[in-house]
PDB file of all heavy atoms in Angstrom:
ATOM      1  N   GLY A 122      16.305 -10.058  12.626  1.00 97.00           N
ATOM      2  CA  GLY A 122      15.315 -11.013  12.123  1.00 97.00           C
ATOM      3  C   GLY A 122      14.143 -11.193  13.056  1.00 97.00           C
ATOM      4  O   GLY A 122      13.908 -10.386  13.966  1.00 97.00           O
ATOM      5  N   TYR A 154      15.649 -12.819  26.331  1.00 98.00           N
ATOM      6  CA  TYR A 154      15.354 -12.617  24.905  1.00 98.00           C
ATOM      7  C   TYR A 154      13.855 -12.541  24.587  1.00 98.00           C
ATOM      8  O   TYR A 154      13.408 -11.628  23.904  1.00 98.00           O
ATOM      9  CB  TYR A 154      15.963 -13.730  24.051  1.00 98.00           C
ATOM     10  CG  TYR A 154      17.448 -13.612  23.791  1.00 98.00           C
ATOM     11  CD1 TYR A 154      18.113 -14.568  23.029  1.00 98.00           C
ATOM     12  CD2 TYR A 154      18.175 -12.542  24.302  1.00 98.00           C
ATOM     13  CE1 TYR A 154      19.477 -14.472  22.790  1.00 98.00           C
ATOM     14  CE2 TYR A 154      19.545 -12.447  24.065  1.00 98.00           C
ATOM     15  CZ  TYR A 154      20.189 -13.410  23.316  1.00 98.00           C
ATOM     16  OH  TYR A 154      21.519 -13.311  23.072  1.00 98.00           O
ATOM     17  N   TYR A 155      13.113 -13.544  25.068  1.00 98.00           N
ATOM     18  CA  TYR A 155      11.726 -13.638  24.614  1.00 98.00           C
ATOM     19  C   TYR A 155      10.937 -12.359  24.886  1.00 98.00           C
ATOM     20  O   TYR A 155      10.325 -11.791  23.980  1.00 98.00           O
ATOM     21  CB  TYR A 155      11.010 -14.849  25.216  1.00 98.00           C
ATOM     22  CG  TYR A 155       9.530 -14.845  24.913  1.00 98.00           C
ATOM     23  CD1 TYR A 155       9.057 -15.117  23.632  1.00 98.00           C
ATOM     24  CD2 TYR A 155       8.601 -14.518  25.897  1.00 98.00           C
ATOM     25  CE1 TYR A 155       7.708 -15.064  23.338  1.00 98.00           C
ATOM     26  CE2 TYR A 155       7.242 -14.466  25.614  1.00 98.00           C
ATOM     27  CZ  TYR A 155       6.801 -14.738  24.338  1.00 98.00           C
ATOM     28  OH  TYR A 155       5.467 -14.677  24.049  1.00 98.00           O
ATOM     29  N   SER A 156      10.961 -11.912  26.154  1.00 98.00           N
ATOM     30  CA  SER A 156      10.105 -10.757  26.467  1.00 98.00           C
ATOM     31  C   SER A 156      10.612  -9.503  25.740  1.00 98.00           C
ATOM     32  O   SER A 156       9.822  -8.675  25.287  1.00 98.00           O
ATOM     33  CB  SER A 156      10.010 -10.532  27.974  1.00 98.00           C
ATOM     34  OG  SER A 156      11.238 -10.077  28.463  1.00 98.00           O
ATOM     35  N   LYS A 157      11.926  -9.411  25.589  1.00 98.00           N
ATOM     36  CA  LYS A 157      12.499  -8.255  24.886  1.00 98.00           C
ATOM     37  C   LYS A 157      12.095  -8.269  23.405  1.00 98.00           C
ATOM     38  O   LYS A 157      11.621  -7.276  22.857  1.00 98.00           O
ATOM     39  CB  LYS A 157      14.021  -8.327  25.012  1.00 98.00           C
ATOM     40  CG  LYS A 157      14.761  -7.061  24.741  1.00 98.00           C
ATOM     41  CD  LYS A 157      16.190  -7.066  25.318  1.00 98.00           C
ATOM     42  CE  LYS A 157      17.096  -8.075  24.623  1.00 98.00           C
ATOM     43  NZ  LYS A 157      18.472  -8.111  25.196  1.00 98.00           N
ATOM     44  N   TYR A 158      12.267  -9.411  22.769  1.00 98.00           N
ATOM     45  CA  TYR A 158      12.022  -9.491  21.324  1.00 98.00           C
ATOM     46  C   TYR A 158      10.535  -9.543  20.986  1.00 98.00           C
ATOM     47  O   TYR A 158      10.119  -9.164  19.894  1.00 98.00           O
ATOM     48  CB  TYR A 158      12.760 -10.694  20.726  1.00 98.00           C
ATOM     49  CG  TYR A 158      14.260 -10.595  20.876  1.00 98.00           C
ATOM     50  CD1 TYR A 158      15.057 -11.731  20.930  1.00 98.00           C
ATOM     51  CD2 TYR A 158      14.891  -9.349  20.970  1.00 98.00           C
ATOM     52  CE1 TYR A 158      16.444 -11.633  21.073  1.00 98.00           C
ATOM     53  CE2 TYR A 158      16.263  -9.244  21.127  1.00 98.00           C
ATOM     54  CZ  TYR A 158      17.038 -10.383  21.180  1.00 98.00           C
ATOM     55  OH  TYR A 158      18.395 -10.278  21.324  1.00 98.00           O
ATOM     56  N   LYS A 159       9.744 -10.030  21.921  1.00 98.00           N
ATOM     57  CA  LYS A 159       8.293 -10.000  21.723  1.00 98.00           C
ATOM     58  C   LYS A 159       7.813  -8.549  21.723  1.00 98.00           C
ATOM     59  O   LYS A 159       7.014  -8.138  20.884  1.00 98.00           O
ATOM     60  CB  LYS A 159       7.593 -10.776  22.843  1.00 98.00           C
ATOM     61  CG  LYS A 159       6.074 -10.782  22.716  1.00 98.00           C
ATOM     62  CD  LYS A 159       5.395 -11.320  23.965  1.00 98.00           C
ATOM     63  CE  LYS A 159       3.882 -11.367  23.806  1.00 98.00           C
ATOM     64  NZ  LYS A 159       3.269 -10.064  23.557  1.00 98.00           N
ATOM     65  N   LYS A 160       8.317  -7.768  22.657  1.00 98.00           N
ATOM     66  CA  LYS A 160       7.927  -6.348  22.737  1.00 98.00           C
ATOM     67  C   LYS A 160       8.319  -5.602  21.465  1.00 98.00           C
ATOM     68  O   LYS A 160       7.542  -4.823  20.921  1.00 98.00           O
ATOM     69  CB  LYS A 160       8.599  -5.690  23.957  1.00 98.00           C
ATOM     70  CG  LYS A 160       7.665  -5.591  25.160  1.00 98.00           C
ATOM     71  CD  LYS A 160       8.349  -4.918  26.346  1.00 98.00           C
ATOM     72  CE  LYS A 160       7.981  -5.628  27.638  1.00 98.00           C
ATOM     73  NZ  LYS A 160       9.148  -5.961  28.470  1.00 98.00           N
ATOM     74  N   LEU A 161       9.539  -5.856  21.000  1.00 98.00           N
ATOM     75  CA  LEU A 161       9.987  -5.191  19.766  1.00 98.00           C
ATOM     76  C   LEU A 161       9.077  -5.557  18.595  1.00 98.00           C
ATOM     77  O   LEU A 161       8.761  -4.731  17.738  1.00 98.00           O
ATOM     78  CB  LEU A 161      11.426  -5.609  19.433  1.00 98.00           C
ATOM     79  CG  LEU A 161      12.545  -4.901  20.206  1.00 98.00           C
ATOM     80  CD1 LEU A 161      13.892  -5.483  19.813  1.00 98.00           C
ATOM     81  CD2 LEU A 161      12.521  -3.396  19.915  1.00 98.00           C
ATOM     82  N   CYS A 162       8.650  -6.811  18.585  1.00 98.00           N
ATOM     83  CA  CYS A 162       7.787  -7.295  17.503  1.00 98.00           C
ATOM     84  C   CYS A 162       6.431  -6.594  17.540  1.00 98.00           C
ATOM     85  O   CYS A 162       5.933  -6.131  16.519  1.00 98.00           O
ATOM     86  CB  CYS A 162       7.627  -8.808  17.643  1.00 98.00           C
ATOM     87  SG  CYS A 162       6.821  -9.571  16.228  1.00 98.00           S
ATOM     88  N   ASP A 163       5.845  -6.512  18.736  1.00 98.00           N
ATOM     89  CA  ASP A 163       4.542  -5.848  18.877  1.00 98.00           C
ATOM     90  C   ASP A 163       4.640  -4.390  18.466  1.00 98.00           C
ATOM     91  O   ASP A 163       3.719  -3.831  17.864  1.00 98.00           O
ATOM     92  CB  ASP A 163       4.058  -5.939  20.329  1.00 98.00           C
ATOM     93  CG  ASP A 163       3.612  -7.354  20.683  1.00 98.00           C
ATOM     94  OD1 ASP A 163       3.331  -8.141  19.748  1.00 98.00           O
ATOM     95  OD2 ASP A 163       3.556  -7.688  21.881  1.00 98.00           O
ATOM     96  N   LYS A 164       5.755  -3.777  18.808  1.00 97.00           N
ATOM     97  CA  LYS A 164       5.941  -2.366  18.496  1.00 97.00           C
ATOM     98  C   LYS A 164       6.067  -2.161  16.983  1.00 97.00           C
ATOM     99  O   LYS A 164       5.506  -1.227  16.418  1.00 97.00           O
ATOM    100  CB  LYS A 164       7.214  -1.873  19.190  1.00 97.00           C
ATOM    101  CG  LYS A 164       7.274  -0.379  19.333  1.00 97.00           C
ATOM    102  CD  LYS A 164       8.523   0.058  20.079  1.00 97.00           C
ATOM    103  CE  LYS A 164       8.814   1.509  19.756  1.00 97.00           C
ATOM    104  NZ  LYS A 164      10.152   1.907  20.214  1.00 97.00           N
ATOM    105  N   TYR A 165       6.798  -3.064  16.352  1.00 96.00           N
ATOM    106  CA  TYR A 165       7.059  -2.893  14.915  1.00 96.00           C
ATOM    107  C   TYR A 165       5.822  -3.191  14.063  1.00 96.00           C
ATOM    108  O   TYR A 165       5.485  -2.422  13.159  1.00 96.00           O
ATOM    109  CB  TYR A 165       8.226  -3.783  14.480  1.00 96.00           C
ATOM    110  CG  TYR A 165       8.606  -3.568  13.034  1.00 96.00           C
ATOM    111  CD1 TYR A 165       9.298  -2.424  12.665  1.00 96.00           C
ATOM    112  CD2 TYR A 165       8.252  -4.478  12.044  1.00 96.00           C
ATOM    113  CE1 TYR A 165       9.631  -2.196  11.336  1.00 96.00           C
ATOM    114  CE2 TYR A 165       8.577  -4.257  10.713  1.00 96.00           C
ATOM    115  CZ  TYR A 165       9.265  -3.120  10.368  1.00 96.00           C
ATOM    116  OH  TYR A 165       9.576  -2.893   9.057  1.00 96.00           O
ATOM    117  N   PHE A 166       5.158  -4.303  14.351  1.00 97.00           N
ATOM    118  CA  PHE A 166       4.030  -4.706  13.494  1.00 97.00           C
ATOM    119  C   PHE A 166       2.714  -4.110  13.996  1.00 97.00           C
ATOM    120  O   PHE A 166       1.830  -4.813  14.472  1.00 97.00           O
ATOM    121  CB  PHE A 166       3.965  -6.226  13.371  1.00 97.00           C
ATOM    122  CG  PHE A 166       5.126  -6.783  12.616  1.00 97.00           C
ATOM    123  CD1 PHE A 166       6.171  -7.412  13.267  1.00 97.00           C
ATOM    124  CD2 PHE A 166       5.211  -6.621  11.242  1.00 97.00           C
ATOM    125  CE1 PHE A 166       7.266  -7.891  12.564  1.00 97.00           C
ATOM    126  CE2 PHE A 166       6.307  -7.094  10.529  1.00 97.00           C
ATOM    127  CZ  PHE A 166       7.337  -7.734  11.184  1.00 97.00           C
ATOM    128  N   TYR A 167       2.628  -2.801  13.886  1.00 97.00           N
ATOM    129  CA  TYR A 167       1.474  -2.056  14.374  1.00 97.00           C
ATOM    130  C   TYR A 167       1.067  -1.033  13.321  1.00 97.00           C
ATOM    131  O   TYR A 167       1.927  -0.416  12.693  1.00 97.00           O
ATOM    132  CB  TYR A 167       1.845  -1.360  15.697  1.00 97.00           C
ATOM    133  CG  TYR A 167       0.679  -0.652  16.337  1.00 97.00           C
ATOM    134  CD1 TYR A 167      -0.286  -1.388  17.022  1.00 97.00           C
ATOM    135  CD2 TYR A 167       0.534   0.731  16.235  1.00 97.00           C
ATOM    136  CE1 TYR A 167      -1.381  -0.745  17.593  1.00 97.00           C
ATOM    137  CE2 TYR A 167      -0.563   1.373  16.802  1.00 97.00           C
ATOM    138  CZ  TYR A 167      -1.510   0.630  17.486  1.00 97.00           C
ATOM    139  OH  TYR A 167      -2.599   1.251  18.045  1.00 97.00           O
ATOM    140  N   GLY A 178       1.819 -10.983  16.601  1.00 98.00           N
ATOM    141  CA  GLY A 178       3.225 -10.798  16.934  1.00 98.00           C
ATOM    142  C   GLY A 178       4.039 -12.061  16.874  1.00 98.00           C
ATOM    143  O   GLY A 178       3.692 -13.006  16.159  1.00 98.00           O
ATOM    144  N   GLY A 179       5.110 -12.075  17.640  1.00 98.00           N
ATOM    145  CA  GLY A 179       6.081 -13.163  17.626  1.00 98.00           C
ATOM    146  C   GLY A 179       7.353 -12.620  18.253  1.00 98.00           C
ATOM    147  O   GLY A 179       7.295 -12.009  19.322  1.00 98.00           O
ATOM    148  N   ILE A 180       8.481 -12.757  17.556  1.00 98.00           N
ATOM    149  CA  ILE A 180       9.713 -12.133  18.038  1.00 98.00           C
ATOM    150  C   ILE A 180      10.357 -11.345  16.899  1.00 98.00           C
ATOM    151  O   ILE A 180      10.165 -11.647  15.726  1.00 98.00           O
ATOM    152  CB  ILE A 180      10.738 -13.162  18.580  1.00 98.00           C
ATOM    153  CG1 ILE A 180      11.038 -14.254  17.535  1.00 98.00           C
ATOM    154  CG2 ILE A 180      10.241 -13.781  19.887  1.00 98.00           C
ATOM    155  CD1 ILE A 180      12.220 -15.143  17.886  1.00 98.00           C
ATOM    156  N   PHE A 181      11.107 -10.346  17.286  1.00 97.00           N
ATOM    157  CA  PHE A 181      11.753  -9.450  16.327  1.00 97.00           C
ATOM    158  C   PHE A 181      12.994  -8.872  17.005  1.00 97.00           C
ATOM    159  O   PHE A 181      12.915  -8.405  18.127  1.00 97.00           O
ATOM    160  CB  PHE A 181      10.764  -8.335  15.977  1.00 97.00           C
ATOM    161  CG  PHE A 181      11.249  -7.348  14.951  1.00 97.00           C
ATOM    162  CD1 PHE A 181      11.109  -7.607  13.591  1.00 97.00           C
ATOM    163  CD2 PHE A 181      11.825  -6.144  15.342  1.00 97.00           C
ATOM    164  CE1 PHE A 181      11.555  -6.691  12.645  1.00 97.00           C
ATOM    165  CE2 PHE A 181      12.268  -5.221  14.396  1.00 97.00           C
ATOM    166  CZ  PHE A 181      12.127  -5.495  13.043  1.00 97.00           C
ATOM    167  N   PHE A 182      14.123  -8.938  16.326  1.00 97.00           N
ATOM    168  CA  PHE A 182      15.350  -8.367  16.908  1.00 97.00           C
ATOM    169  C   PHE A 182      16.156  -7.693  15.811  1.00 97.00           C
ATOM    170  O   PHE A 182      16.017  -8.017  14.631  1.00 97.00           O
ATOM    171  CB  PHE A 182      16.187  -9.447  17.625  1.00 97.00           C
ATOM    172  CG  PHE A 182      16.547 -10.623  16.748  1.00 97.00           C
ATOM    173  CD1 PHE A 182      17.784 -10.692  16.109  1.00 97.00           C
ATOM    174  CD2 PHE A 182      15.645 -11.664  16.561  1.00 97.00           C
ATOM    175  CE1 PHE A 182      18.126 -11.773  15.300  1.00 97.00           C
ATOM    176  CE2 PHE A 182      15.973 -12.753  15.741  1.00 97.00           C
ATOM    177  CZ  PHE A 182      17.207 -12.804  15.118  1.00 97.00           C
ATOM    178  N   ASP A 183      16.977  -6.725  16.211  1.00 95.00           N
ATOM    179  CA  ASP A 183      17.800  -6.030  15.216  1.00 95.00           C
ATOM    180  C   ASP A 183      19.068  -5.514  15.887  1.00 95.00           C
ATOM    181  O   ASP A 183      19.125  -5.382  17.111  1.00 95.00           O
ATOM    182  CB  ASP A 183      17.021  -4.874  14.583  1.00 95.00           C
ATOM    183  CG  ASP A 183      17.536  -4.573  13.167  1.00 95.00           C
ATOM    184  OD1 ASP A 183      18.510  -5.196  12.736  1.00 95.00           O
ATOM    185  OD2 ASP A 183      16.937  -3.707  12.505  1.00 95.00           O
ATOM    186  N   TYR A 184      20.069  -5.243  15.087  1.00 95.00           N
ATOM    187  CA  TYR A 184      21.362  -4.741  15.594  1.00 95.00           C
ATOM    188  C   TYR A 184      21.889  -5.635  16.704  1.00 95.00           C
ATOM    189  O   TYR A 184      22.418  -5.161  17.703  1.00 95.00           O
ATOM    190  CB  TYR A 184      21.221  -3.294  16.080  1.00 95.00           C
ATOM    191  CG  TYR A 184      20.612  -2.409  15.010  1.00 95.00           C
ATOM    192  CD1 TYR A 184      19.376  -1.782  15.204  1.00 95.00           C
ATOM    193  CD2 TYR A 184      21.255  -2.243  13.792  1.00 95.00           C
ATOM    194  CE1 TYR A 184      18.815  -1.007  14.204  1.00 95.00           C
ATOM    195  CE2 TYR A 184      20.699  -1.465  12.788  1.00 95.00           C
ATOM    196  CZ  TYR A 184      19.490  -0.852  13.004  1.00 95.00           C
ATOM    197  OH  TYR A 184      18.923  -0.080  12.024  1.00 95.00           O
ATOM    198  N   ARG A 243       9.926  -1.131   6.798  1.00 87.00           N
ATOM    199  CA  ARG A 243      11.207  -0.491   6.502  1.00 87.00           C
ATOM    200  C   ARG A 243      11.922  -1.158   5.344  1.00 87.00           C
ATOM    201  O   ARG A 243      12.522  -0.496   4.500  1.00 87.00           O
ATOM    202  CB  ARG A 243      12.108  -0.524   7.739  1.00 87.00           C
ATOM    203  CG  ARG A 243      11.598   0.335   8.880  1.00 87.00           C
ATOM    204  CD  ARG A 243      12.648   0.476   9.954  1.00 87.00           C
ATOM    205  NE  ARG A 243      13.127  -0.831  10.400  1.00 87.00           N
ATOM    206  CZ  ARG A 243      13.598  -1.104  11.616  1.00 87.00           C
ATOM    207  NH1 ARG A 243      13.624  -0.156  12.521  1.00 87.00           N
ATOM    208  NH2 ARG A 243      14.031  -2.292  11.924  1.00 87.00           N
TER     209      ARG A 243
END
Side-chain angles (χ1 to χ4, degrees):
Chain A
Y154 282 180
Y155 172 72
S156 70
K157 198 161 67 181
Y158 298 153
K159 180 191 182 300
K160 261 181 221 130
L161 280 177
C162 190
D163 288 341
K164 199 178 159 192
Y165 184 75
F166 293 104
Y167 185 77
I180 54 169
F181 182 85
F182 56 97
D183 207 356
Y184 307 117
R243 293 191 306 209

